[in-house]
Amino acid sequence: MSWKYQILKLCSDAEFFPGAKPHEIQQAEAELGVALPEDLASLLQESNGVEGEYGLGLIWPLERIVRENIEFRENPDFPELYMPFKHLLFFADAGNGDLFAWPIQAGEIRRLDVFVWNHEEDSRTCCAPSLSTYLERWLTGELLL
């Protein structure tokens, strides 16, 4: 079943975009220093990002994934405010400052659990065991932040 179909079942007003090319995904992975989870790479090849209602970044496009992760990792003020971000791969936002991510362990994504980073508390909490469950919980309102 396609990602678009799965998402449209839950959010009829989701907006999709032309898919990312394999070489674009490889370039993003090189810039980030980590391979994307297979589900995310597959989704991005189908649609390079998915926007929900009011422009919510359900899944960021590749260029935003790279930009946001590099900015969080390299911001000179963040070490004084937050735990390090080099062990997270952000891929979406909640629209309130909180971000969704996978944990990076020993240079790779070994767990497919999705975590939410709370920008006010600097907490990192597991919110879903997979990308598809994250999307389902987020789009049905089961995932509350």
Side-chain angles (χ1 to χ4, degrees), residues 31-65:
E31 290 179 57
L32 293 166
V34 66
L36 300 180
E38 193 173 304
D39 280 352
L40 179 62
S42 170
L43 189 153
L44 291 169
Q45 287 181 52
E46 202 172 316
S47 177
N48 189 4
V50 180
E51 282 190 6
E53 194 173 19
Y54 308 114
L56 179 66
L58 293 174
I59 303 291
W60 293 337
L62 269 175
E63 57 275 0
R64 183 166 180 199
I65 291 172

Side-chain angles (χ1 to χ4, degrees), residues 107-123:
E108 60 187 66
I109 296 172
R110 297 178 175 187
R111 300 173 53 179
L112 296 180
D113 298 314
V114 173
F115 283 72
V116 60
W117 170 67
N118 180 302
H119 73 286
E120 293 176 359
E121 303 169 354
D122 192 27
S123 63

Side-chain angles (χ1 to χ4, degrees), residues 2-126:
S2 78
W3 283 104
K4 288 181 185 178
Y5 177 77
Q6 289 180 39
I7 293 168
L8 284 172
K9 284 191 332 184
L10 301 166
C11 179
S12 61
D13 59 355
E15 186 175 351
F16 300 95
F17 305 94
K21 306 281 188 255
H23 75 274
E24 294 170 323
I25 292 172
Q26 291 170 346
Q27 180 181 347
E29 291 173 332
E31 290 179 57
L32 293 166
V34 66
L36 300 180
E38 193 173 304
D39 280 352
L40 179 62
S42 170
L43 189 153
L44 291 169
Q45 287 181 52
E46 202 172 316
S47 177
N48 189 4
V50 180
E51 282 190 6
E53 194 173 19
Y54 308 114
L56 179 66
L58 293 174
I59 303 291
W60 293 337
L62 269 175
E63 57 275 0
R64 183 166 180 199
I65 291 172
V66 171
R67 183 182 72 245
E68 295 281 349
N69 280 279
I70 289 173
E71 286 178 9
F72 270 78
R73 294 173 188 175
E74 295 179 357
N75 186 310
D77 298 324
F78 284 179
E80 297 291 324
L81 302 170
Y82 306 115
M83 291 184 282
F85 292 110
K86 67 181 179 178
H87 299 293
L88 294 174
L89 177 68
F90 294 117
F91 68 92
D93 65 270
N96 64 356
D98 295 346
L99 305 177
F100 296 99
W102 281 282
I104 299 171
Q105 299 168 287
E108 60 187 66
I109 296 172
R110 297 178 175 187
R111 300 173 53 179
L112 296 180
D113 298 314
V114 173
F115 283 72
V116 60
W117 170 67
N118 180 302
H119 73 286
E120 293 176 359
E121 303 169 354
D122 192 27
S123 63
R124 295 117 197 260
T125 307
C126 185

